[in-house]
Amino acid sequence: DDGLVVAVDGPSGSGKSSVSRAVARALGLAYLDTGAMYRAATLWCVRQGVALDDAPAVTAAVRALPLEQGLDPEAPTVLLDGDDVTAAIRTTEVSAAVSAVATNLDARAALGDRQRAVIAAERTGGWSGGRGVVAEGRDITTAIAPDAPVRVLLTASEGARLRRRSLEVHGTADAAAVAATHDQVVRRDAQDSTVVEFRTAADGVVTVDSSDLSFEETVDALLAVVRAAG
Ligand code: C5P
């Protein structure tokens, strides 16, 4: 039997990365963070001196992206040309620039091909030994793995998402920190949603709203969706 594929989409601050990692850990599955691929592609362009508004140059750079991504949910490391960029891809500079790659349809196609190849490999072997993969991003339930047996849209109210991102980035969720986070989160989601729809669930996708759930409760809610798909 082929391994399991759990597809999780959601906006920034929905908690989808940490929740998806925990679900992968609980089920012994590989963890594929597709946002990390977009971030690594963006950092690669910056490091190679590729102008982010030069779409053909960005596409060429992304097609040749020297990316190695760890699929172990305990250590989802990201190597770029052998250099560990796991932390470097999380800076506000990369977050602010990533939409240039995400809205480039040829670059999306190139990254999408890699994502499908990882998912296919994990279903029969790969890091998980064929147990399968939790793949997380913006278009996994709709474009990358629309036939995954488990598909979840993880949402949360704007207020909850801003609080979480603010805590993550600034270590506090006071008014000033939330205001500083607002522009980033809301603008990035608005830019991203011009090319991928991740705010409403596609047909057959289960919505989990984490606004009033703790981290553990959200993980349990996803595990319940997986069990129900049995
Ligand atoms: O999830 P994360 O915030 O790390 O994603 C970074 C960016 O990558 C998103 O803002 C979005 O522009 C892009 N992305 C995407 N499609 C995905 C995953 C991420 O366009 N499947």
Side-chain angles (χ1 to χ4, degrees):
D1 241 18
D2 271 2
L4 179 62
V5 178
V6 179
V8 182
D9 287 327
S12 36
S14 61
K16 66 184 183 323
S17 294
S18 44
V19 169
S20 297
R21 260 178 93 172
V23 168
R25 199 181 289 133
L27 298 175
L29 304 180
Y31 165 62
L32 178 63
D33 176 354
T34 64
M37 299 171 79
Y38 283 89
R39 291 171 176 277
T42 304
L43 184 61
W44 181 243
C45 288
V46 171
R47 289 192 172 176
Q48 294 296 107
V50 171
L52 286 164
D53 58 2
D54 183 347
V58 168
T59 299
V62 171
R63 284 188 179 141
L65 190 68
L67 172 71
E68 277 176 77
Q69 192 168 15
L71 299 173
D72 180 350
E74 301 293 348
T77 51
V78 180
L79 301 186
L80 208 43
D81 205 17
D83 182 20
D84 189 332
V85 295
T86 310
I89 61 171
R90 307 279 161 201
T91 61
T92 49
E93 287 78 4
V94 171
S95 298
V98 69
S99 289
V101 175
T103 57
N104 177 324
L105 296 184
D106 296 320
R108 292 197 76 82
L111 292 179
D113 285 347
R114 288 181 191 230
Q115 292 159 15
R116 290 188 188 91
V118 170
I119 292 168
E122 292 301 323
R123 298 195 74 174
T124 55
W127 180 86
S128 73
R131 284 190 303 275
V133 58
V134 180
E136 164 255 302
R138 298 287 193 287
D139 61 349
I140 312 304
T141 64
T142 53
I144 302 300
D147 52 6
V150 182
R151 292 185 298 153
V152 175
L153 180 70
L154 189 58
T155 60
S157 67
E158 188 173 294
R161 295 191 290 112
L162 288 176
R163 258 193 316 282
R164 285 180 195 148
R165 256 306 140 89
S166 179
L167 277 171
E168 206 176 284
V169 175
H170 304 286
T172 161
D174 62 22
V178 169
T181 311
H182 183 275
D183 183 53
Q184 241 196 56
V185 168
V186 173
R187 189 167 42 84
R188 183 147 61 92
D189 281 347
Q191 271 163 5
D192 291 345
S193 63
T194 62
V195 284
V196 280
E197 178 47 58
F198 53 85
R199 300 192 206 220
T200 55
D203 250 15
V205 175
V206 178
T207 299
V208 172
D209 186 332
S210 71
S211 305
D212 301 315
L213 301 181
S214 69
F215 175 74
E216 287 76 17
E217 289 170 333
T218 310
V219 173
D220 285 347
L222 257 80
L223 290 173
V225 176
V226 174
R227 276 193 301 275

